[in-house]
Amino acid sequence: KNEVEQSPQNLTAQEGEFITINCSYSVGISALHWLQQHPGGGIVSLFMLSSGKKKHGRLIATINIQEKHSSLHITASHPRDSAVYICAVRYGGSQGNLIFGKGTKLSVKP
Amino acid sequence: NAGVTQTPKFQVLKTGQSMTLQCAQDMNHEYMSWYRQDPGMGLRLIHYSVGAGITDQGEVPNGYNVSRSTTEDFPLRLLSAAPSQTSVYFCASSLAGGFTSSGNTIYFGEGSWLTVV
């Protein structure tokens, strides 16, 4: 069975700290998504990656295809970054269906 | 441009009742899907559609039915609600499903909290 593993499960940081959330998957993929779920429940897409690195503001996402691993980094973290961050992968031939990790709950303290 | 509109946001059902969760998108997306989110688990795919008139089952389809008569709408029907269907449901859409595209962002609805008693 295709698996997506995220670590850590929970993360508490102080404002200003550099945050790293990890995602590992088991077989070759066509794309990997990083999503953010707000405390109210809404889910927004942060990045879609198939290779390399993407940056948007204080968020950086990287993927290593050979190692089947992706990381989401948050620089200069802020309490408004507190959310659940979800990794999801799209396997080749899946017609776009995604397999989701269980999420990493991030809490940034002021 | 409203994105993905999902209704209702909250619903309480009695066991055995039926209901429909509505999902509509105004972005002309081909791919639409329904997920359920349960505590301690990742989102799981219930049903999906790659275009009007085409639907298929996901990981957890039992007890649910879908149809896709138009590009915009993708309702999810609970045929006879059971307590095991208590969950948070999300509808999502994207331009296309099966290939990698820089514009292939996934858009989610706000979620529907369903309780079956």
Side-chain angles (χ1 to χ4, degrees):
Chain A
K1 181 180 177 183
N2 299 329
E3 296 282 348
V4 178
E5 298 290 336
Q6 282 187 242
S7 63
Q9 191 173 354
N10 293 283
L11 182 57
T12 300
Q14 289 297 126
E15 183 174 357
E17 285 185 358
F18 181 83
I19 305 290
T20 296
I21 299 170
N22 297 298
C23 176
S24 298
Y25 50 91
S26 56
V27 297
I29 63 171
S30 60
L32 181 144
H33 296 260
W34 280 103
L35 310 168
Q36 180 191 54
Q37 185 168 24
H38 299 295
I43 300 174
V44 296
S45 176
L46 298 175
F47 296 103
M48 189 191 76
L49 296 163
S50 56
S51 64
K53 175 180 175 178
K54 286 190 176 179
K55 184 176 188 292
H56 182 72
R58 294 181 295 107
L59 300 178
I60 303 167
T62 64
I63 188 168
N64 185 317
I65 298 296
Q66 286 73 29
E67 294 186 4
K68 298 184 176 59
H69 181 268
S70 175
S71 293
L72 176 68
H73 305 287
I74 304 174
T75 62
S77 59
H78 189 276
R80 64 175 175 266
D81 297 325
S82 298
V84 176
Y85 292 85
I86 301 170
C87 172
V89 300
R90 176 179 296 157
Y91 290 96
S94 67
Q95 296 197 72
N97 298 337
L98 298 174
I99 306 295
F100 292 80
K102 294 181 181 179
T104 295
K105 185 175 182 180
L106 172 65
S107 178
V108 182
K109 306 294 186 186
Chain B
N1 187 341
V4 179
T5 303
Q6 191 180 328
T7 58
K9 189 152 179 92
F10 300 99
Q11 182 73 50
V12 178
L13 286 178
K14 293 182 178 178
T15 297
Q17 285 185 320
S18 63
M19 77 158 297
T20 299
L21 299 175
Q22 301 290 345
C23 178
Q25 52 86 14
D26 60 358
M27 298 172 280
N28 202 32
H29 285 170
E30 296 174 356
Y31 183 85
M32 297 185 74
S33 51
W34 277 102
Y35 300 91
R36 60 178 288 172
Q37 186 177 40
D38 300 295
M41 304 184 74
L43 282 85
R44 292 182 292 168
L45 181 66
I46 304 171
H47 286 283
Y48 67 98
S49 169
V50 298
I54 306 169
T55 64
D56 207 345
Q57 296 180 350
E59 181 185 354
V60 288
N62 292 340
Y64 307 95
N65 198 6
V66 292
S67 60
R68 185 95 180 268
S69 56
T70 66
T71 300
E72 294 78 19
D73 300 298
F74 189 47
L76 178 72
R77 297 182 187 85
L78 280 71
L79 308 173
S80 177
S84 61
Q85 294 178 303
T86 294
S87 189
V88 184
Y89 293 84
F90 287 94
C91 177
S93 75
S94 61
L95 190 60
F99 59 89
T100 301
S101 165
S102 61
N104 202 6
T105 300
I106 299 170
Y107 296 85
F108 286 83
E110 289 294 305
S112 296
W113 276 253
L114 176 66
T115 301
V116 183
V117 298

